[in-house]
Amino acid sequence: MIKEKEHNSSKAHFWKSVLIIAGVFSFALCILIIGNYFQINKADPVNTKVINTLVDRLNQNPGDQALINEIREFDLLARKAYFTNQWQIRFGGYLLLFGVIVMLISVLMMDSTKKKVQAITFVKDDKLPTTQRNSRKWITIGGIALAVITLIFAFLSHNELGNKFSQKESSESKLNKNDSLMVDSNNIQNSDTLKINSDSSNLDTVITVGLIEFPTAAMMSNFPSFRGPGGNGIAYQKNIPTSWDGASGKNIKWKTAIPLPGYNSPVVWGDKVFLTGANGTKQEVYCFSKSSGKILWTADVSGIQGSPSTAPKVTDDTGYSAPTVTTDGEKVYAVFATGDIIALDMTGNKVWARNIGIPVNHYGHSSSLLLYENKLIVQYDQNNGAKVMALSTQSGKTIWSTLRKVKISWASPVIVNTGSRVEILLIAEPYVASYDPATGKELWKIDCTSGEVGPSVAYANGIVFALNEYAKLAAIQIGDQPKILWENNDYLSDVPSPVATDKYLFVVTSYGEVACYNPKTGDKYWNHDFGTGTYSSPMLVGEKIYLMDKKGTMHIFKADKTFSSVGDPKLGENTVSTPAFADGKIFVRAGNNLYCIGK
Amino acid sequence: MCKIKNILLFFFFVIISLQVFDLSAKNRFPKPEFESGHVQPETITPAPRAMILEYIDVFVLIVALSLISWLILKKRSRKGVFWMSVFTILYFGFYKQGCVCAVGSVQNVTLALFNESYNIPITALLFFVIPLLYTLFFGRTFCAGVCPLGAIQDIFAFRPMPIKAWLEKVLGIIPFIYLGLAILYAATGTDFIICRYDPFIGFYRLDATFMMFMLGAIFLLIGVFIARPYCRFLCPYGALLNIVSRFSFKHMTITPANCINCKLCESSCPFGAINMPAPVKEKEKTEVIVKRYVLLSVIVPVLIFAGGFIASNFHENLAMVNHKVKLATEVMNNTNFGLKDKEAIEITAFKSSGQTIEQLYSEAAVIIDEFYIGSWILGCFIGLVFGLTLVSLTVFKYHSDYSPNKATCHSCARCMDYCPVLPEKK
């Protein structure tokens, strides 16, 4: 027992000594680090008196090489001293940490030599009911105090922030709109003088707002945007070929390699075909000759203010240039996954460019652009602040911007003429909505979809058809009080969009099955499995549907009550883009090439 | 001796704070100017941590939880718990630098639930779920010595002092409020406030702002006298464990066999988490209790609604933490973040982002709307917590012997050292 006592005593003595040594060591380090701290705080390595004097002398005698070398040496010394001090402080910190750890261990070891474990000297608690009563009392007091303080703060700082932001946003939009109208009125004045020179079509478009002409004749004679004029899946073209063969070259007019990758589709105006490509470091717009396939010009889209220095992350199956360009025959407009948007004239010169904010989109932005009169319509359904915008085609300024309470969407806008007005139709979880292209005002909306929406809507005869994979297919009777006419979930799609006529609705699934419905009742006329998946959207051309599958086979069938195949010509290259149709030709982006198919 | 130690500890915290504060301010001096020929090297982004190492962390977590549960429940070893705490400080603290930790993972899970574009790392999800599962089986063994925040405080608890039971109850509500706020801010994508205001991460990384070092130092100094202040009165993950642990299948016991009511353990718990024997005679009259129950059954829904109403009125203040709302407010009021001499860096960054002002306003308006709804939910939740706490304080729980309070017991095993009862021989 005595031996054990002695042992414990010597052990305690030892750890006490260790504690004192570690304590003194740590204390000394504290002093040193404090000293170093003040030293480093005082020193400014880029603004020393000596160097400043030498720099002044150098300014008087700029060619003095010896002086330059001397400045460099002093500068190096000052920086060295600074970084040495930094290192000393950090190393001192580690040593101090070590010292404190030793101190802690010493205390613990000293405690362990004590025979009895130390109890916590608690004051004997009140009896249970008293404790509970006290607890209830103080919780009530605490709760009331918290509520009162919160209310006082809420009252004092109540600012109607949400309303203020909304009002400010609309006033900013109005300002921009006025700017834009000023631009347009300038344009009208300029056009007045040009009118003498005959071409006043653009002027007419500006001043005849209200006379519904959509799509315009010029749009219908070309192929100005993704899924044709208005993006509704209809090409107003004739004499489109129904047979070709990529392997033998039959009816392949030309094939041109596209420099950069992209999942966007070609658009055609006059003798030009447009595409874009991007790879995360470069963004380009290409103009091809419709007749020869030669690249007429390439526009590099860079140096735009606000463009991110590093491209946002996108998935491989979306890429950096999924949105298709649009054109009005005067300018071509393109948008990329970086939020960069550009307007180029028909010779490839930049008219305006801006960044509309980096889209917060985990796959990458893919919604294509559309035009209505002098407005470029952008569906920007991103994670924070989904919206639809109209930018001035002249200046790029925002004419209107309407907030949308929807999730991210990859669908593209569709603009249709309902007979009484023109409407922009958008789809994203949870609803399909219509907007006035002149003001951006929401005309109607109806909840009918969910999930990550990829397919755009189709429209015919006053009915909008909306669908998405794992959701449903809904036929919506449009109007200020829209209603769902019928629903079905047998055939759905996550990428290809449907297409509709007055008599038929065609739905294409991503795995390659096509179903034809009665658009008014939802009765299915037929379904046919092509066996190969498709991401390309079907196009109605005359009385036929053209549907390109992923392996490059075009399935052509009649838009009829029964399935009737016209042909399945093969191109021989994989594709996910939707073809363009113009002037008796088909333009297909497949692999890394742009093909022209024609007789 | 204790005084010397505390003085030295104080110096340690002050110096660490000073050096880090200074370094972060001084690192930004301009690069040297070179006349020509020299190409500035490109900034290299470090590669993310290898996936295998992430899985090893999960494996270590499982092993540590299994080991500490065994040490507590089977071996009844306080010493074992202490050395597990040391291991946790070294591995999850200094080596892993406190990330990813179960405490912060609450926010990852919340963000994943509310933001479809956020893919939660599988390790974050596992760090959230595994301690909860262990708690459901064995009580809060995670808190005992596997949580790096708890472990560092536990080691500093040298001279714990008692605090009044009612105060413990009142302060015990704070973690639930903090949890609600953390979920609100994570759900709105505003911030991970648990991580931002983690007082101990600075020590583990030897890198933090001056204020955070001071906060950490204050917590540790308070922790010398009031054991584990962060765990008891702030930790939002502890609030979750508090609930789950109530239903634990096999919680630790103070005695290995029948309690002999020797009272030796009575003052052993630094967290006041021992249920003392309560004789039936202490029970209030049944009619009083029934009356109170009736009153509370009316008050609880009122508290829920009142909480929602009050918090919803406070939503603008809560939303000001969001940088976009703050920026929009500064732009709208033209206050330039209080700076007069030069343009605030936030304003400059916004201008160069290419975003339009109306976009900023529209985004801020959306966020304000989200906060309005979120504040209602937060307020209702806080009202519910207050209500249920009041209800629980009405319930009389009869105890014939000393037992750990399953909700608040950190399973630190201190009380076991005081128990003279020997395990029954099989």
Side-chain angles (χ1 to χ4, degrees):
Chain A
M1 184 66 115
I2 295 167
K3 227 177 182 181
E4 193 189 337
K5 237 180 182 178
E6 276 175 1
H7 175 71
N8 274 345
S9 166
S10 65
K11 199 175 163 188
H13 185 74
F14 169 76
W15 283 110
K16 193 177 173 184
S17 310
V18 174
L19 177 67
I20 291 169
I21 293 166
V24 171
F25 174 73
S26 302
F27 185 75
L29 268 173
C30 278
I31 302 295
L32 284 173
I33 292 174
I34 287 174
N36 219 340
Y37 164 74
F38 283 115
Q39 197 181 346
I40 204 167
N41 213 21
K42 241 171 81 180
D44 182 357
V46 288
N47 197 23
T48 63
K49 202 177 167 185
V50 182
I51 294 177
N52 286 347
T53 316
L54 291 174
V55 169
D56 285 344
R57 272 172 53 196
L58 184 67
N59 288 336
Q60 289 162 9
N61 190 10
D64 190 342
Q65 193 57 43
L67 198 54
I68 290 172
N69 290 337
E70 201 177 347
I71 291 171
R72 281 182 176 157
E73 276 171 23
F74 272 112
D75 185 65
L76 184 66
L77 270 176
R79 286 168 195 274
K80 256 188 180 175
Y82 177 82
F83 285 110
T84 306
N85 270 348
Q86 273 197 335
W87 177 85
Q88 283 169 349
I89 284 187
R90 185 153 285 269
F91 188 69
Y94 286 120
L95 283 177
L96 188 56
L97 183 69
F98 173 74
V100 172
I101 288 170
V102 173
M103 280 166 57
L104 284 175
I105 292 169
S106 310
V107 172
L108 290 169
M109 294 309 288
M110 279 170 63
D111 279 351
S112 72
T113 59
K114 287 172 189 168
K115 197 177 176 187
K116 274 198 174 179
V117 273
Q118 268 186 335
I120 298 143
T121 51
F122 276 85
V123 179
K124 180 93 176 145
D125 240 333
D126 298 324
K127 286 186 173 179
L128 190 63
T130 319
T131 307
Q132 288 194 333
R133 197 166 44 245
N134 276 339
S135 302
R136 284 198 300 269
K137 184 178 87 181
W138 285 108
I139 284 173
T140 309
I141 292 170
I144 291 169
L146 183 67
V148 169
I149 292 167
T150 310
L151 275 177
I152 289 171
F153 267 99
F155 177 73
L156 289 177
S157 58
H158 189 60
N159 229 342
E160 287 287 341
L161 269 184
N163 289 340
K164 277 187 181 172
F165 286 143
S166 299
Q167 284 164 8
K168 277 274 178 186
E169 186 205 349
S170 58
S171 64
E172 285 288 334
S173 290
K174 275 179 194 164
L175 275 176
N176 281 330
K177 192 176 171 184
N178 290 341
D179 285 352
S180 161
L181 287 174
M182 279 169 68
V183 172
D184 289 339
S185 60
N186 289 338
N187 188 37
I188 291 166
Q189 284 164 9
N190 293 339
S191 299
D192 277 340
T193 52
L194 288 171
K195 205 157 57 173
I196 303 160
N197 296 335
S198 82
D199 187 6
S200 62
S201 59
N202 190 38
L203 176 70
D204 290 343
T205 317
V206 175
I207 60 176
T208 56
V209 177
L211 299 177
I212 302 172
E213 193 206 344
F214 190 89
T216 61
M219 287 169 82
M220 289 196 286
S221 64
N222 288 288
F223 197 90
S225 48
F226 177 62
R227 296 176 66 220
N232 196 26
I234 301 169
Y236 304 88
Q237 301 289 329
K238 287 176 182 168
N239 303 321
I240 298 298
T242 54
S243 71
W244 61 85
D245 182 44
S248 65
K250 179 193 165 192
N251 281 348
I252 305 294
K253 302 287 280 182
W254 50 259
K255 169 186 170 184
T256 305
I258 307 163
L260 290 178
Y263 296 118
N264 59 87
S265 305
V267 306
V268 186
W269 194 285
D271 59 351
K272 294 183 172 73
V273 184
F274 300 99
L275 278 177
T276 67
N279 59 8
T281 53
K282 269 183 109 175
Q283 305 174 134
E284 290 178 339
V285 180
Y286 308 109
C287 174
F288 299 78
S289 161
K290 193 171 81 180
S291 52
S292 68
K294 191 183 158 198
I295 295 181
L296 299 175
W297 50 260
T298 299
D300 178 36
V301 182
S302 61
I304 297 172
Q305 194 186 7
S307 181
S309 55
T310 312
K313 277 188 182 171
V314 297
T315 53
D316 290 342
D317 56 2
T318 305
Y320 291 97
S321 62
T324 298
V325 303
T326 188
T327 178
D328 52 11
E330 289 187 347
K331 292 187 272 298
V332 58
Y333 309 87
V335 68
F336 295 87
T338 50
D340 286 345
I341 194 161
I342 191 166
L344 302 153
D345 67 17
M346 297 307 262
T347 54
N349 296 315
K350 184 172 89 177
V351 181
W352 56 260
R354 59 181 280 201
N355 185 284
I356 52 173
I358 305 157
V360 184
N361 185 321
H362 51 286
Y363 297 144
H365 181 65
S366 72
S367 183
S368 298
L369 300 171
L370 271 190
L371 282 163
Y372 177 72
E373 296 182 338
N374 61 335
K375 299 174 192 73
L376 178 65
I377 308 299
V378 187
Q379 182 178 2
Y380 222 50
D381 290 339
Q382 49 164 329
N383 199 27
N384 272 342
K387 58 185 168 261
V388 54
M389 296 181 280
L391 311 184
S392 163
T393 53
Q394 305 293 331
S395 63
K397 285 189 175 175
T398 306
I399 297 174
W400 53 256
S401 173
T402 303
L403 211 60
R404 284 161 50 74
K405 289 190 175 175
V406 294
K407 300 235 170 128
I408 307 174
S409 155
W410 291 265
S412 296
V414 172
I415 301 180
V416 295
N417 183 349
T418 65
S420 58
R421 62 189 179 192
V422 175
E423 298 184 21
I424 302 171
L425 303 171
L426 305 184
I427 180 172
E429 181 183 353
Y431 54 70
V432 169
S434 165
Y435 299 87
D436 179 356
T439 62
K441 187 187 160 200
E442 186 183 273
L443 300 172
W444 55 263
K445 72 175 175 191
I446 186 164
D447 284 7
C448 64
T449 192
S450 60
E452 298 183 332
V453 181
S456 311
V457 298
Y459 170 86
N461 200 23
I463 306 174
V464 175
F465 303 94
L467 82 170
N468 191 37
E469 196 69 283
Y470 308 117
K472 62 187 174 191
L473 162 64
I476 304 155
Q477 177 82 58
I478 64 162
D480 292 337
Q481 300 292 325
K483 62 175 182 183
I484 292 179
L485 292 177
W486 55 268
E487 293 177 350
N488 192 299
N489 55 11
D490 293 339
Y491 299 94
L492 300 172
S493 156
D494 60 353
V495 180
S497 307
V499 64
T501 68
D502 288 358
K503 292 180 182 172
Y504 310 109
L505 164 70
F506 298 94
V507 170
V508 178
T509 67
S510 309
Y511 50 88
E513 191 150 14
V514 178
C516 174
Y517 292 90
N518 178 327
K520 287 176 186 157
T521 63
D523 295 333
K524 192 181 81 181
Y525 289 136
W526 55 263
N527 64 290
H528 182 82
D529 190 357
F530 287 109
T532 307
T534 176
Y535 277 178
S536 172
S537 291
M539 290 296 303
L540 176 72
V541 189
E543 297 294 313
K544 301 183 198 82
I545 301 284
Y546 282 70
L547 175 65
M548 180 68 97
D549 72 21
K550 282 189 198 170
K551 290 187 176 169
T553 301
M554 184 78 91
H555 303 291
I556 309 169
F557 51 92
K558 285 185 180 165
D560 208 348
K561 205 170 184 175
T562 53
F563 176 73
S564 172
S565 176
V566 175
D568 298 287
K570 289 181 171 54
L571 193 60
E573 268 209 276
N574 293 347
T575 179
V576 295
S577 303
T578 298
F581 302 82
D583 197 17
K585 297 181 183 68
I586 307 172
F587 300 88
V588 183
R589 181 178 197 152
N592 295 324
N593 299 302
L594 175 63
Y595 287 85
C596 174
I597 301 163
K599 289 173 189 167
Chain B
M1 185 63 69
C2 192
K3 272 184 185 171
I4 296 170
K5 187 179 73 187
N6 291 340
I7 290 165
L8 289 174
L9 281 176
F10 177 74
F11 269 106
F12 165 68
F13 295 130
V14 170
I15 297 311
I16 293 281
S17 311
L18 285 176
Q19 58 156 325
V20 173
F21 177 65
D22 185 58
L23 290 183
S24 62
K26 281 286 171 185
N27 267 340
R28 292 181 178 170
F29 70 75
K31 286 174 184 173
E33 286 173 16
F34 297 96
E35 278 177 353
S36 63
H38 178 80
V39 180
Q40 290 284 0
E42 272 185 41
T43 308
I44 300 163
T45 311
R49 202 158 180 263
M51 207 56 209
I52 183 74
L53 293 175
E54 305 270 323
Y55 288 122
I56 288 173
D57 292 337
V58 175
F59 176 73
V60 173
L61 175 73
I62 293 170
V63 170
L65 278 167
S66 305
L67 184 61
I68 201 162
S69 301
W70 178 75
L71 285 167
I72 294 164
L73 296 167
K74 284 280 175 199
K75 298 297 284 180
R76 301 175 57 79
S77 166
R78 167 65 197 159
K79 201 175 267 182
V81 173
F82 172 80
W83 287 113
M84 274 304 299
S85 300
V86 173
F87 167 78
T88 294
I89 288 172
L90 294 175
Y91 186 81
F92 291 114
F94 284 105
Y95 172 61
K96 282 290 311 300
Q97 301 196 321
C99 194
V100 55
C101 79
V103 180
S105 67
V106 177
Q107 301 159 120
N108 298 75
V109 172
T110 307
L111 187 62
L113 288 173
F114 285 86
N115 187 336
E116 61 187 19
S117 63
Y118 174 69
N119 293 320
I120 185 170
I122 186 73
T123 42
L125 185 64
L126 291 172
F127 265 74
F128 174 74
V129 172
I130 291 169
L132 283 174
L133 285 176
Y134 269 82
T135 304
L136 188 61
F137 282 97
F138 309 118
R140 296 171 67 172
T141 52
F142 171 74
C143 299
V146 184
C147 173
L149 311 188
I152 194 169
Q153 291 174 87
D154 204 75
I155 284 187
F156 272 76
F158 292 116
R159 296 288 177 269
M161 286 166 27
I163 63 167
K164 287 280 185 189
W166 62 263
L167 185 59
E168 181 98 28
K169 285 279 180 195
V170 174
L171 296 179
I173 288 179
I174 298 173
F176 291 94
I177 299 174
Y178 194 17
L179 174 68
L181 283 169
I183 289 174
L184 175 67
Y185 284 126
T188 52
T190 299
D191 203 356
F192 278 12
I193 57 167
I194 300 173
C195 302
R196 186 172 295 281
Y197 301 107
D198 181 337
F200 308 112
I201 204 86
F203 296 127
Y204 289 135
R205 295 181 183 173
L206 281 177
D207 188 14
T209 60
F210 177 74
M211 288 307 291
M212 286 314 296
F213 260 118
M214 285 309 289
L215 189 68
I218 289 166
F219 267 108
L220 287 185
L221 285 177
I222 291 173
V224 172
F225 307 104
I226 296 168
R228 291 188 178 226
Y230 184 83
C231 300
R232 289 157 75 190
F233 310 128
L234 268 172
C235 181
Y237 193 67
L240 287 178
L241 297 181
N242 176 308
I243 296 165
V244 175
S245 183
R246 291 164 200 248
F247 307 101
S248 55
F249 300 124
K250 191 169 169 55
H251 197 279
M252 62 152 274
T253 55
I254 299 171
T255 57
N258 289 332
C259 176
I260 55 171
N261 276 320
C262 65
K263 298 188 179 183
L264 284 174
C265 66
E266 201 172 69
S267 309
S268 65
C269 182
F271 316 117
I274 293 178
N275 292 323
M276 310 287 177
V280 182
K281 66 178 180 183
E282 283 189 5
K283 191 179 175 184
E284 284 179 304
K285 284 182 183 171
T286 311
E287 60 204 65
V288 176
I289 295 174
V290 169
K291 267 186 188 172
R292 197 178 300 126
Y293 264 123
V294 172
L295 183 68
L296 283 171
S297 64
V298 177
I299 284 179
V300 171
V302 172
L303 282 177
I304 293 172
F305 178 78
F309 175 76
I310 292 166
S312 68
N313 276 287
F314 196 63
H315 76 281
E316 287 178 3
N317 302 65
L318 293 170
M320 287 306 282
V321 175
N322 186 288
H323 76 279
K324 221 154 228 172
V325 176
K326 177 76 180 157
L327 178 65
T329 312
E330 294 289 335
V331 171
M332 186 172 69
N333 299 334
N334 204 17
T335 39
N336 194 32
F337 288 84
L339 293 179
K340 286 180 182 169
D341 304 335
K342 57 176 181 177
E343 188 176 71
I345 193 163
E346 292 88 347
I347 306 277
T348 312
F350 166 68
K351 282 181 179 172
S352 62
S353 72
Q355 199 186 25
T356 60
I357 289 177
E358 74 245 48
Q359 281 174 331
L360 177 68
Y361 289 147
S362 77
E363 286 177 16
V366 171
I367 295 166
I368 292 274
D369 281 352
E370 289 173 355
F371 266 92
Y372 180 71
I373 296 164
S375 301
W376 259 105
I377 298 167
L378 171 70
C380 290
F381 172 70
I382 293 171
L384 180 69
V385 170
F386 270 93
L388 292 181
T389 309
L390 287 174
V391 170
S392 74
L393 289 168
T394 296
V395 181
F396 176 82
K397 286 172 193 158
Y398 172 74
H399 300 283
S400 61
D401 45 22
Y402 290 87
S403 62
N405 182 323
K406 278 185 168 185
T408 54
C409 170
H410 288 76
S411 298
C412 68
R414 280 185 176 87
C415 53
M416 292 173 174
D417 278 352
Y418 292 80
C419 185
V421 179
L422 294 173
E424 284 173 356
K425 283 184 183 170
K426 283 179 184 172

